[in-house]
Amino acid sequence: LKMAEPIEGNVRRKGVSVTKPIVFGNIAKYFGKKREEDGHTHGWTCYLRPFKSEDMSVFIKKVHFKLHESYPNPVRILTKPPYEVSETGWGEFEIIIKIFFQDPA
């Protein structure tokens, strides 16, 4: 491999791609019994995190978490870390995570 010469400042390069590993997932904790006021049984958090400890806002502009329509404001838009949503509930549903990257220009 031939190393490129150092370049001063931020320069956009054609044909170069950058790979950043990320981790996404969820954690749920059982309350121990059903809550009387709403019937919820679990607290949960859905997250998007860096694989290594780094500032993801350098390359991520915003993250959308689309929850089940029964939640108030089911599309949660986060523009800075931590990129996570915490709620309570009683069942399962799919969450769509949409990542918007910073414009490299």
Side-chain angles (χ1 to χ4, degrees):
L1 292 175
K2 186 176 180 182
M3 298 294 289
E5 292 184 33
I7 297 176
E8 298 283 329
N10 261 343
V11 175
R12 189 173 185 168
R13 295 184 183 185
K14 285 187 174 186
V16 175
S17 63
V18 176
T19 302
K20 291 285 190 179
I22 58 172
V23 178
F24 65 94
N26 69 298
I27 300 168
K29 294 191 179 181
Y30 181 53
F31 293 147
K33 65 177 186 171
K34 187 185 292 189
R35 286 196 318 203
E36 303 228 359
E37 66 269 18
D38 57 13
H40 291 185
T41 57
H42 290 75
W44 58 264
T45 299
C46 183
Y47 58 84
L48 175 78
R49 296 179 180 155
F51 179 71
K52 294 184 176 180
S53 183
E54 66 179 307
D55 181 7
M56 291 173 51
S57 67
V58 172
F59 56 91
I60 292 180
K61 184 176 183 176
K62 61 184 172 180
V63 179
H64 289 191
F65 289 85
K66 186 174 186 297
L67 311 180
H68 189 271
E69 61 270 0
S70 63
Y71 283 92
N73 185 24
V75 177
R76 310 288 172 91
I77 301 170
L78 304 173
T79 57
K80 60 185 177 183
Y83 302 112
E84 59 183 50
V85 174
S86 295
E87 278 289 352
T88 63
W90 54 265
E92 294 181 17
F93 61 94
E94 290 185 12
I95 297 177
I96 297 170
I97 302 172
K98 193 171 186 181
I99 304 168
F100 294 80
F101 294 98
Q102 296 285 4
D103 183 3

